[in-house]
Amino acid sequence: MASPAPPCGPDASPAMESQANLPDHLTEDILLRLTTAADLARASMAGPALRRIIADHTFLRRFRTLHQPPLLGILSDPFLPAQPPHPSAAAAGTLADTDFSCSFLPSRDRPWIRRDCRDGRTLLCVASDGRPLVRDVAVCDPLHRRYLLLPPVPQGLSDLVYHCQPFLAPAGGDEVPADAPFRFRVMCLAKNQTQLVLFVLSSSGGCAGPWHAIPFDGWSALVAEVSEGEDVRSSTAFGKRYYVHGCFYWAIPGIGKLLMLDIATMEFSSIDLPPSPWSNSQMAFVEAREGRLGLFALSHNRLLYSISGSIEDDPPRLWLMGAVVPLPLDYAYYIIGVAGGFLLLHGFQDNPESYPSFEMPDPDCFSLNLQTMKLERFCGTELMMPLKNQLLYAGFPPSLSPPTI
């Protein structure tokens, strides 16, 4: 049988020839409509013309802006990638040689510790030597082995602060400058019994600007809600941080409040948490419809889902009860976090009588797809301690990830 004619040969069909002669900008628009990084990777193998377009850093950044990067793994030691048959497994397999510990950073007297991960960057700080505020801070691109050392966080509050939480934030702003792909912000939340201060540093053009401080004037009012006789420090302890619809959220279960930071206005506010049993449960905050806030609360072997209400609701309500997601009954669960469109859970076999102590099965991690509410196994792990404090990594394969620093 004769081999097929080349796309632009004399015997090529008009349809094939028109596809081969598409202008680059039309081809880019078609490729941007692909829904997953796996589809884009397959398209890049179809021929040199498509591979040239897809490999261009400008195109890749457009694709990343339009498509949420999938959850690929857990930043533990070692890295725990998604495993088959999870849909993220193929992309996670491309990260096998990635140095997520960022061992290429300059050495210090104390080890570097991962504090956050966002948009392909990792935030690390040198382990504390007793000072509550961090000093040595670095932002790294582990896929491309690049880093930027930042100025130390101002130490003026160091004698008062008993909580310090550094984290990464989107660059923000409506304008799109030429160096937008390399822009980011680092924030550090510091608090004591009377003050809550946010330190903010912005990057621009590969350089880091100075830190500036933003106080929350309403913190003393929140502290005043601590019941008489209770310890202020424990009652105002923060839960895990979540980023939803352009805002960071921290639950403060001890006083039944949810602290919110709007990164567009850089203003703090607070709302009431739902009443018990939600207030006594592990919680995770996610994006809900119409720009609302979604809340998952882990209660025994089920996830209770609520949506923030509105003054337009009749009657007005702060929280509206949503779905109940049942979980397999033979596990005890911990919420790890939310990333890449998934809520991740760490599950331990909850029937110890069935297993001798030396035959206890390894724990499993489960992902809940926030669009379909489908629960499936994400990966196995030999770690017998809960992973609830581990960072999650969402991103694209290295071939589809241009440098971020």
Side-chain angles (χ1 to χ4, degrees):
M1 185 175 66
S3 60
C8 296
D11 298 326
S13 69
M16 293 176 65
E17 187 171 353
S18 62
Q19 289 176 351
N21 293 328
L22 277 177
D24 281 0
H25 72 278
L26 291 181
T27 303
E28 288 184 13
D29 288 342
I30 293 172
L31 292 171
L32 289 172
R33 296 174 184 270
L34 297 176
T35 56
T36 68
D39 293 334
L40 191 64
R42 283 190 288 269
S44 70
M45 296 185 289
L50 288 180
R51 187 158 51 249
R52 173 182 56 81
I53 293 173
I54 293 173
D56 183 79
H57 287 181
T58 301
F59 170 81
L60 288 175
R61 292 187 177 109
R62 290 182 64 194
F63 185 86
R64 292 170 64 93
T65 300
L66 295 172
H67 300 280
Q68 183 180 50
L71 173 63
L72 300 184
I74 304 169
L75 289 176
S76 179
D77 292 313
F79 177 70
L80 299 175
Q83 297 174 350
H86 196 275
S88 297
T94 64
L95 302 175
D97 297 327
T98 303
D99 182 7
F100 285 113
S101 66
C102 299
S103 62
F104 47 86
L105 278 171
S107 60
R108 295 290 188 265
D109 293 339
R110 294 174 179 269
W112 290 94
I113 305 297
R114 281 191 303 262
R115 302 301 296 267
D116 198 14
C117 182
R118 174 179 298 278
D119 300 330
R121 304 180 186 95
T122 302
L123 175 68
L124 297 97
C125 303
V126 172
S128 173
D129 59 355
R131 292 187 297 262
L133 286 174
V134 296
R135 293 190 60 85
D136 293 278
V137 185
V139 176
C140 298
D141 180 340
L143 294 184
H144 297 275
R145 299 181 65 84
R146 298 184 179 186
Y147 67 89
L148 180 64
L149 297 177
L150 307 183
V153 177
Q155 302 291 300
L157 297 176
S158 59
D159 293 336
L160 303 173
V161 169
Y162 57 73
H163 174 87
C164 176
Q165 184 180 130
F167 57 97
L168 289 164
D174 296 328
E175 298 181 359
V176 184
D179 65 341
F182 302 103
R183 291 193 169 206
F184 59 87
R185 283 187 285 184
V186 179
M187 301 183 180
C188 184
L189 192 65
K191 69 170 182 174
N192 58 34
Q193 292 190 9
T194 60
Q195 293 178 286
L196 181 71
V197 179
L198 182 73
F199 296 99
V200 182
L201 178 147
S202 299
S203 74
S204 177
C207 299
W211 293 93
H212 63 278
I214 301 174
F216 174 38
D217 296 333
W219 180 244
S220 58
L222 289 181
V223 172
E225 298 192 22
V226 177
S227 301
E228 186 176 354
E230 293 188 1
D231 179 61
V232 171
R233 182 168 179 171
S234 58
S235 296
T236 58
F238 289 163
K240 185 183 287 287
R241 181 185 63 256
Y242 290 93
Y243 182 69
V244 181
H245 291 311
C247 297
F248 284 105
Y249 291 89
W250 294 264
I252 313 178
I255 56 175
K257 295 292 184 179
L258 181 63
L259 182 68
M260 179 180 75
L261 170 65
D262 186 326
I263 66 166
T265 63
M266 297 307 295
E267 294 179 349
F268 285 99
S269 60
S270 65
I271 61 174
D272 292 331
L273 284 172
S276 182
W278 291 268
S279 59
N280 297 323
S281 305
Q282 298 180 57
M283 290 178 283
F285 297 92
V286 300
E287 294 186 351
R289 64 179 187 273
E290 300 174 352
R292 298 192 182 192
L293 179 65
L295 164 61
F296 281 99
L298 183 60
S299 179
H300 302 293
N301 290 91
R302 57 181 182 165
L303 286 167
L304 308 177
Y305 181 56
S306 299
I307 303 173
S308 61
S310 167
I311 59 173
E312 299 176 357
D313 293 330
D314 187 16
R317 298 169 64 183
L318 279 179
W319 295 94
L320 307 174
M321 185 62 188
V324 176
V325 181
L327 302 173
L329 297 177
D330 50 348
Y331 285 87
Y333 296 94
Y334 295 89
I335 292 177
I336 303 176
V338 175
F342 292 94
L343 168 69
L344 202 62
L345 301 167
H346 196 191
F348 293 80
Q349 290 283 352
D350 198 26
N351 189 15
E353 294 82 5
S354 301
Y355 306 96
S357 59
F358 56 91
E359 292 182 357
M360 283 290 291
D362 292 334
D364 289 309
C365 295
F366 298 89
S367 65
L368 178 72
N369 187 309
L370 298 177
Q371 294 294 323
T372 64
M373 295 294 181
K374 178 183 178 182
L375 185 75
E376 56 189 321
R377 184 179 180 274
F378 183 78
C379 70
T381 170
E382 298 179 355
L383 299 175
M384 300 305 295
M385 296 295 292
L387 293 170
K388 56 185 179 180
N389 294 321
Q390 298 294 329
L391 300 172
L392 302 182
Y393 184 83
F396 292 106
S399 62
L400 303 180
S401 299
T404 60
I405 295 176

